[in-house]
Amino acid sequence: MSNTYTQLYIHCVFAVKFRKAVIQPTWEERLHQYITGILQNNGHKLLAINSMPDHLHFFVGLNPKQSISDMMRVAKGDSSEFINKEKFTERKFYWQDGYGAFSNSRTQIDGVVKYIMNQKQHHTKKTFREEYLEILKDYAVEYDEKYIFHDLLDG
């Protein structure tokens, strides 16, 4: 649509079902590439993506033609189908229900990209649950403890 201009930057976070630590270094790059393709095919601009064994972060310039909930449904659904088709895990793979999506200004881009790209170093000091609760508090998002991601299960 002419005369429509947007600048929408969204940091998304989601976990493996029951936060099971199954995303392995041997295939995580292929997962990142696959999710990048999903996002780009839907008109979004990927700025950063990274994962830990039990969760994944990505940061996009959002295409307003697709809602955040639709973007997440497609990214999570198609990527779990890819993981299962490629048989990367012993059992059927699922992402946990829900996700976090947080808006950022243009001036925050560098900081968010660095934060996402330094996940492995960051998690030597902080668990995913601690990180997620900190993000919710930083963005002043009200939440109910019973809906926060379930506890980690070993891979």
Side-chain angles (χ1 to χ4, degrees):
M1 182 181 329
S2 61
N3 291 324
T4 300
Y5 306 98
T6 63
Q7 187 179 73
L8 307 167
Y9 300 107
I10 308 295
H11 173 191
C12 299
V13 185
F14 49 102
V16 174
K17 183 116 181 178
F18 301 116
R19 293 195 33 241
K20 203 158 177 65
V22 296
I23 299 173
Q24 299 299 312
T26 55
W27 55 269
E28 74 177 345
E29 185 59 34
R30 287 187 62 198
L31 173 62
H32 298 171
Q33 291 169 350
Y34 197 82
I35 291 174
T36 298
I38 292 167
L39 297 168
Q40 290 175 343
N41 288 339
N42 283 274
H44 308 292
K45 181 180 180 184
L46 184 73
L47 302 170
I49 187 168
N50 206 349
S51 59
M52 292 298 294
D54 64 344
H55 72 281
L56 186 138
H57 292 254
F58 68 75
F59 186 41
V60 295
L62 183 74
N63 176 350
K65 291 181 180 179
Q66 185 177 44
S67 69
I68 293 170
S69 59
D70 282 345
M71 175 185 69
M72 293 305 295
R73 179 183 50 77
V74 171
K76 289 171 67 179
D78 289 2
S79 63
S80 62
E81 187 176 301
F82 168 71
I83 292 166
N84 289 320
K85 182 179 151 240
E86 295 295 320
K87 299 182 188 296
F88 289 141
T89 57
E90 289 181 25
R91 295 190 188 106
K92 190 159 181 162
F93 178 90
Y94 297 96
W95 293 111
Q96 192 156 326
D97 291 340
Y99 57 87
F102 309 96
S103 62
N104 292 269
S105 69
R106 185 180 58 76
T107 60
Q108 294 172 305
I109 292 173
D110 287 344
V112 176
V113 168
K114 286 176 187 166
Y115 177 80
I116 290 172
M117 298 316 292
N118 287 321
Q119 278 293 293
K120 290 180 178 36
Q121 179 183 4
H122 177 73
H123 282 290
T124 62
K125 300 175 189 141
K126 195 174 292 189
T127 67
F128 173 56
R129 184 178 181 83
E130 290 168 336
E131 172 192 45
Y132 195 70
L133 290 171
E134 187 175 286
I135 292 170
L136 291 173
K137 288 174 185 167
D138 286 349
Y139 283 90
V141 174
E142 290 184 29
Y143 62 92
D144 186 330
E145 279 283 338
K146 70 181 176 184
Y147 297 114
I148 298 300
F149 296 126
H150 301 292
D151 288 336
L152 176 66
L153 297 176
D154 291 329

